[in-house]
């Protein structure tokens, strides 16, 4: 399976943390956010990953590259688990990079993957979205694609106050408990104009037909070519589905979700669970 990971966004909301480093490199527990994203894609079966970066994202490329310096240090009996797991990841999947020349939107970022993807369906998972789920959300979505053979977008119910932060789908007929036909989609509508509360959460399985649709999509919100708008163009000629995934999803582009992901993933880690639980109880006065 091929996976495309857009990671070219600027990270304005995280300034000054993102002044000198990409937001995808912000730490979550003991590894950068993008490590979790790649881990999920690989757990879902991806063996070929293309990360779409932009200017000032060099740190991401270096992170997935071999490091003779650290290899030499670690050879002398240090076992650093997250580092070892990074090496295991690199042995399971090839990680490639392409640059988006200018920040022209998520649709344009996905278009950069055209040559790499070729004629196969592919997974898209945003570089700043961490899902905590079993099976991985990417796997749930891929399985849905294998049943449906048309593009599938992961969705979840979003609060009224958050509707205008998301692409929102207009649901069509239900296929089963979790799967719905998509009748239409709209990028970041005002609450009053939203066709539902089902927000696009950042994991997609797309087919190469999306590339022509992106090319046919004029710039939308913020003057950028939006993936949601391109999906809307594609929806005119091809069926499309939404999948209500099971699990929790964190948008590492927002500080509160970043914080929440840190807490949940710390509590899920065997090594930190006990100490972190005791500390939180003490802090909250429940000890
Ligand atoms: C992007 C998409 C939006 C989607 C969201 C999920 O927006 O354009 O449709 O709902 O990701 O996080 P962004 O968060 O990059 O503004």
């Amino acid at each position: 399976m091929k996976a495309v990971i857009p990671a070219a966004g600027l990270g304005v909301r995280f300034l000054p943390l993102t002044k000198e480093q990409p937001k995808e490199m912000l730490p979550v527990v003991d590894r950068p956010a993008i490590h979790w994203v790649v881990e999920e894609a690989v757990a879902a079966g991806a063996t070929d990953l293309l990360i779409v970066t932009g200017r000032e994202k060099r740190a991401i490329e270096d992170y997935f590259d071999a490091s003779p310096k650290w290899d030499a240090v670690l050879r002398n009996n240090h076992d650093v688990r997250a580092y070892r797991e990074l090496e295991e990841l690199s042995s399971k999947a090839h990680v490639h990079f392409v640059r988006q020349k200018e920040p022209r939107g998520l649709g344009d970022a996905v278009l950069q993957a055209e040559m790499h993807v070729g004629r196969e369906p592919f997974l898209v998972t945003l570089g700043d979205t961490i899902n905590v789920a079993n099976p991985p959300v990417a796997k749930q979505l891929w399985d849905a694609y294998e049943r449906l053979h048309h593009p599938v977008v992961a969705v979840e119910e979003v609060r009224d106050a958050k509707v205008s932060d998301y692409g929102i789908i207009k649901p069509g007929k239900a296929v089963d408990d979790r799967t719905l036909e998509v009748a239409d989609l709209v990028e970041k509508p005002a609450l009053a104009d939203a066709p539902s509360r089902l927000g696009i959460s950042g994991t997609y399985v797309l087919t190469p037909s999306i590339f022509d649709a992106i090319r046919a999509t004029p710039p939308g919100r913020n003057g950028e070519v939006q993936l949601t708008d391109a999906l809307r163009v594609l929806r005119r000629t091809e069926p499309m589905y939404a999948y209500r995934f099971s699990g929790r999803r964190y948008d590492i582009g927002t500080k509160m979700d970043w914080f929440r992901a840190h807490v949940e993933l710390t509590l899920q880690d065997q090594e930190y669970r006990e100490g972190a639980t005791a500390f939180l109880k003490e802090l909250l006065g429940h000890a």
Side-chain angles (χ1 to χ4, degrees), residues 45-149:
T47 50
D48 179 309
L49 293 100
L50 180 71
I51 303 182
V52 185
T53 65
R55 292 192 75 79
E56 295 169 30
K57 298 274 181 167
R58 274 287 293 283
I60 301 177
E61 297 175 27
D62 291 344
Y63 184 76
F64 289 102
D65 196 2
S67 171
K69 178 185 94 176
W70 288 115
D71 288 349
V73 172
L74 294 179
R75 216 172 291 133
N76 299 328
N77 293 330
H78 297 283
D79 179 28
V80 180
R81 180 168 52 109
Y83 190 89
R84 183 167 22 89
E85 288 173 4
L86 171 62
E87 286 185 312
E88 282 162 19
L89 262 192
S90 312
S91 71
K92 286 187 194 149
H94 294 282
V95 184
H96 307 270
F97 297 92
V98 64
R99 277 195 183 196
Q100 186 185 24
K101 302 276 179 293
E102 288 168 61
R104 293 189 55 222
L106 184 57
D108 181 74
V110 171
L111 186 57
Q112 308 308 312
E114 185 173 21
M115 296 287 275
H116 192 88
V117 160
R119 297 177 164 276
E120 301 163 42
F122 60 104
L123 173 74
V124 173
T125 176
L126 303 184
D128 59 2
T129 296
I130 295 181
N131 296 304
V132 181
N134 187 14
V137 173
K139 174 83 170 82
Q140 295 176 37
L141 224 65
W142 193 264
D143 289 349
Y145 173 81
E146 298 214 303
R147 292 191 295 274
L148 301 160
H149 303 288

Side-chain angles (χ1 to χ4, degrees), residues 13 23 106 126 128-129 165-168 186-188 199-202 204 226-228 249 251:
R13 278 174 291 190
K23 65 175 167 177
L106 184 57
L126 303 184
D128 59 2
T129 296
D165 291 342
Y166 288 93
I168 301 288
V186 41
E187 178 69 357
K188 302 187 176 157
I200 298 173
S201 74
Y204 314 73
Q226 299 296 343
L227 183 59
T228 307
R249 167 234 175 230
D251 176 358

